[in-house]
Amino acid sequence: MSNQEHTNERVPVMQRVLDNPFLLLFLGVTMPTVLYIIWGIIEIAQIPVAP
Amino acid sequence: MVATPESLPLPAAHEEPRFRTCASTGLKIHLAAQTLIKANAVTAVVFLAIGGLFGLLVALTRWPAVHLLPADWFYLVLTAHGLDVLLLWIIFFEIAILYFASAVLLGSRIAAPRVAWAAYALMLIGGLITNVAVLQGGSTVMFTSYTPMMAAPNFYLGLIIFAVGALVALGVFFGTLVVARDERTYEGSVPLVTFGAITAAIIAVFTLASGAIILIPTYLWSLGLISMPDPLTYKLIWWGMGHSSQQINVSAHVSIWYLIAAVVLGAKPLSEKVSRMAFFLYILFLQLASAHHLMVEPGLSSEWKVFNTSYAMYLAVLGSMIHGMTVPGAIEAAQRANGYDKGLFGWLRHAPWGNPAFAGMFLSLIMFGFIGGISGVVLGTEQINLIMHNTIYVPGHFHGTVVAGTTLAFMAGTWLLLPLIFQREIIWPRIARWQPYIFAIGAGGISLFMMGAGTLGVARRHWDITFADASMSFSYPPAAFLMMGLNGICALFAATGGIMYILTVVATVLWGKRIADGQAVQLASPKARVVTEYGSIEHPKIPGTIILTVIFFVAFVLYYYVNWKYLAEVWPMR
């Protein structure tokens, strides 16, 4: 098991982020959804329909 | 391994969970979690056996001198091969890893075991439905199943049921993390291997959700209820599943590397923070590499392609290169601490090469980096992607990642799971000792020779590279035929290594000597306990790893340069 010897010490922000699996889950789903899927679909939707 | 069942007072549970304690690692193992790990791992191995057999038939057909199957059977078998190994073998095994990395490494009970069994049932039923649909012959649409090709409705239905089951299993994994935190089975941060598993699970959520999102309308289309999904939109979202599923593998097999280094050698990470940041880069950027399958689509802009691959993907590649240095670095530091301190590579010469878990892990690490990793960067570069897009180079690349990297790492992990979770001694240790080497020769060979043939232009999926029945003739250079023949020979090696693995695992599970109470686990280090701890090794000395890293970078730069040079030759700028 992990040990945190100095329990009163302030935990760094980055470590708090990495210790929160649900925040990581949010980031890990949002990033590809926005940058890969939504951006990609916007580009496909802008392709003009053939006459 | 001690099999003394003991119970912990856990007020949240309706039934008191039963645990046993492992003598070698000190791990408290929830018996319900153990059974679920066994079920998922055994099912994974069964699908590997089936999918591996299909893979051998594919390779023997693409070997021009053998050309085993007729065209219709070839495409059917290729569809089944992709389904069984890329999805079913890998994801069943990954669910086993997730349960191990959560319940076992955190010393917790698994959340909602009945729901986990329901997830297992859904995955199994879905996998079987799709397999039957493929084998009935009406769904020969390849694993990618691009529209407008239409498979039988059950092909899509099975995949949807499988994806839903796997998503439920991921829910059980995240629930177990909550249970472990609430019941204080650990303090502070989770161990690094568990963090890697969290990374894999997060990528899996995006992957399976993408699969469900695109396959549900495709299923409705196959039933005649809606019009056909737009082919480019289908490709875009499908690759959110198709490629990201291979990124789950990367996160999972990197976790296995850390796990094996810790259990076999007592290796602690060089730096917990650096390794976690490398996994964090995976969480943010790894899935975006899906875009490299759409590099030649005219409907998508260069901005979208270049951002998703040549910018964002490189940050994920940075994560892989960090792991590629920290895993051997941790091994070197542990070996030097264990007394193997002579010269630059004394630690490597005296590594436990006769231990199949270690040998498989290290070979997986080397081949994933040098073959799968470097070729992935080449494929992810918009310009040089043009040289080999949709050639057999692409399967060469992903056999370097998924077979030489992931499958070999999962096989290596199995040699530890057998004594730790199944409580069985490996029945044929000599076969197990040779297995990683035979499989690695085959897997490395098929990757390299397919990449070589792809560079010469050989098409990715064509049944007959002589184009014997084509109205207009075309000939590949003789070297391409040589490459495909060597690929076939290497496939025989890989199949031999695969058979050695499957027979030894099955025989061990069924007839292996049961490990008695208090008996030390085969293949594990007395310092294996470090796998459950948070913390880095202090003052590591890793000169040998630095040299290996330099060799890797030189190979990387040279190969990247060679491909640009090749592009300049096939596409002269005048």
Side-chain angles (χ1 to χ4, degrees):
Chain A
M1 299 311 97
S2 42
N3 45 18
Q4 215 167 4
E5 289 172 5
H6 309 290
T7 46
N8 294 330
E9 234 176 61
R10 187 176 158 76
V11 180
V13 175
M14 198 61 218
Q15 189 171 342
R16 272 186 282 158
V17 170
L18 297 182
D19 283 344
N20 186 339
F22 294 100
L23 175 60
L24 296 176
L25 176 62
F26 172 76
L27 292 172
V29 172
T30 305
M31 287 284 285
T33 302
V34 172
L35 294 172
Y36 174 79
I37 289 186
I38 294 179
W39 183 5
I41 287 176
I42 289 172
E43 296 218 338
I44 293 169
Q46 287 174 339
I47 300 171
V49 177
Chain B
M1 185 73 71
V2 166
T4 37
E6 54 184 85
S7 54
L8 292 179
L10 297 169
H14 296 296
E15 295 171 17
E16 236 176 47
R18 291 172 57 227
F19 289 80
R20 68 177 177 87
T21 305
C22 170
S24 291
T25 59
L27 292 169
K28 250 184 181 45
I29 300 172
H30 183 204
L31 297 182
Q34 176 176 279
T35 314
L36 279 158
I37 293 168
K38 286 181 184 177
N40 280 280
V42 166
T43 310
V45 171
V46 171
F47 279 116
L48 174 68
I50 297 168
L53 173 65
F54 288 141
L56 180 63
L57 296 175
V58 169
L60 291 178
T61 306
R62 297 223 59 174
W63 185 348
V66 179
H67 207 47
L68 183 69
L69 298 175
D72 49 350
W73 272 98
F74 169 76
Y75 292 113
L76 184 152
V77 163
L78 183 54
T79 305
H81 171 58
L83 167 74
D84 285 327
V85 288
L86 274 175
L87 213 58
L88 302 183
W89 142 247
I90 293 284
I91 292 187
F92 269 110
F93 202 89
E94 275 159 357
I95 297 300
I97 292 171
L98 294 185
Y99 292 158
F100 181 85
S102 54
V104 176
L105 290 187
L106 298 178
S108 164
R109 65 185 172 87
I110 194 165
R114 284 181 188 163
V115 176
W117 279 112
Y120 170 79
L122 284 172
M123 289 169 67
L124 184 60
I125 291 166
L128 292 175
I129 287 175
T130 305
N131 259 293
V132 169
V134 172
L135 294 174
Q136 281 174 335
S139 301
T140 305
V141 290
M142 306 288 107
F143 178 52
T144 43
S145 55
Y146 289 149
T147 57
M149 284 193 294
M150 188 194 283
N154 277 351
F155 176 88
Y156 307 110
L157 179 65
L159 288 175
I160 293 164
I161 292 172
F162 176 82
V164 170
L167 276 169
V168 173
L170 293 172
V172 173
F173 168 74
F174 283 108
T176 305
L177 295 179
V178 173
V179 167
R181 190 190 58 202
D182 289 352
E183 294 176 359
R184 297 182 179 279
T185 63
Y186 71 99
E187 287 177 10
S189 304
V190 295
L192 184 60
V193 174
T194 307
F195 191 78
I198 291 172
T199 305
I202 290 169
I203 296 174
V205 170
F206 173 77
T207 301
L208 296 164
S210 300
I213 287 168
I214 197 59
L215 289 172
I216 288 170
T218 314
Y219 172 57
L220 297 176
W221 165 62
S222 72
L223 290 172
L225 299 176
I226 62 171
S227 58
M228 183 182 76
D230 170 65
L232 185 51
T233 306
Y234 176 92
K235 271 181 128 175
L236 176 86
I237 302 177
W238 191 90
W239 279 114
M241 175 187 79
H243 198 82
S244 300
S245 62
Q246 312 321 312
Q247 318 296 20
I248 313 171
N249 305 343
V250 174
S251 310
H253 78 225
V254 170
S255 304
I256 295 254
W257 294 347
Y258 283 112
L259 173 85
I260 291 175
V263 173
V264 174
L265 297 169
K268 293 173 89 171
L270 287 183
S271 164
E272 281 272 1
K273 288 177 185 170
V274 170
S275 292
R276 271 161 211 264
M277 282 308 293
F279 277 123
F280 188 53
L281 289 172
Y282 280 0
I283 290 171
L284 296 180
F285 302 114
L286 197 52
Q287 298 100 304
L288 305 178
S290 304
H292 87 241
H293 292 276
L294 303 162
M295 285 294 199
V296 299
E297 296 297 334
L300 292 160
S301 68
S302 278
E303 288 85 352
W304 181 88
K305 292 171 187 169
V306 172
F307 179 84
N308 278 288
T309 57
S310 292
Y311 289 107
M313 191 187 85
Y314 289 172
L315 292 168
V317 171
L318 174 65
S320 284
M321 289 197 292
I322 290 171
H323 293 306
M325 179 175 169
T326 55
V327 174
I331 291 168
E332 178 176 1
Q335 280 287 80
R336 288 186 186 278
N338 291 340
Y340 301 109
D341 201 20
K342 280 191 181 166
L344 276 176
F345 294 109
W347 61 277
L348 198 55
R349 272 200 309 279
H350 292 100
W353 295 108
N355 179 332
F358 177 84
M361 179 273 282
F362 208 88
L363 291 167
S364 153
L365 189 154
I366 296 289
M367 291 201 292
F368 175 76
F370 278 87
I371 303 174
I374 294 177
S375 61
V377 173
V378 168
L379 278 176
T381 305
E382 189 183 11
Q383 297 89 337
I384 44 182
N385 177 285
L386 288 172
I387 313 171
M388 65 280 285
H389 191 90
N390 244 0
T391 67
I392 202 166
Y393 187 101
V394 180
H397 153 69
F398 69 68
H399 281 74
T401 56
V402 182
V403 184
T406 305
T407 298
L408 189 49
F410 285 5
M411 288 172 165
T414 311
W415 302 124
L416 288 183
L417 272 186
L418 289 171
L420 277 172
I421 297 296
F422 288 82
Q423 293 180 276
R424 301 278 179 178
E425 283 187 9
I426 295 169
I427 194 164
W428 301 314
R430 186 171 288 185
I431 292 178
R433 199 174 303 147
W434 280 101
Q435 186 274 332
Y437 298 100
I438 305 284
F439 189 78
I441 290 169
I446 57 176
S447 308
L448 287 171
F449 292 122
M450 278 197 276
M451 283 162 57
T455 309
L456 296 169
V458 173
R460 179 175 177 178
R461 288 162 169 164
H462 205 287
W463 166 70
D464 174 23
I465 70 168
T466 66
F467 301 109
D469 57 352
S471 53
M472 294 173 71
S473 65
F474 177 81
S475 316
Y476 287 117
F481 287 81
L482 174 66
M483 295 283 176
M484 294 308 290
L486 290 170
N487 172 56
I489 292 169
C490 289
L492 293 177
F493 272 95
T496 305
I499 290 167
M500 289 164 76
Y501 167 79
I502 287 161
L503 291 182
T504 309
V505 168
V506 171
T508 299
V509 169
L510 294 177
W511 303 296
K513 188 179 166 192
R514 194 158 180 88
I515 293 174
D517 294 358
Q519 193 178 335
V521 169
Q522 268 179 317
L523 312 176
S525 156
K527 299 178 185 169
R529 177 87 191 168
V530 298
V531 73
T532 64
E533 294 169 357
Y534 178 94
S536 316
I537 194 161
E538 290 179 1
H539 314 301
K541 281 195 296 183
I542 54 164
T545 301
I546 300 292
I547 302 286
L548 292 178
T549 307
V550 170
I551 293 170
F552 173 80
F553 273 117
V554 170
F556 192 164
V557 170
L558 279 178
Y559 188 69
Y560 196 64
Y561 170 78
V562 163
N563 276 282
W564 278 98
K565 183 85 176 89
Y566 189 45
L567 175 66
E569 282 176 13
V570 298
W571 185 18
M573 306 295 284
R574 296 196 176 93

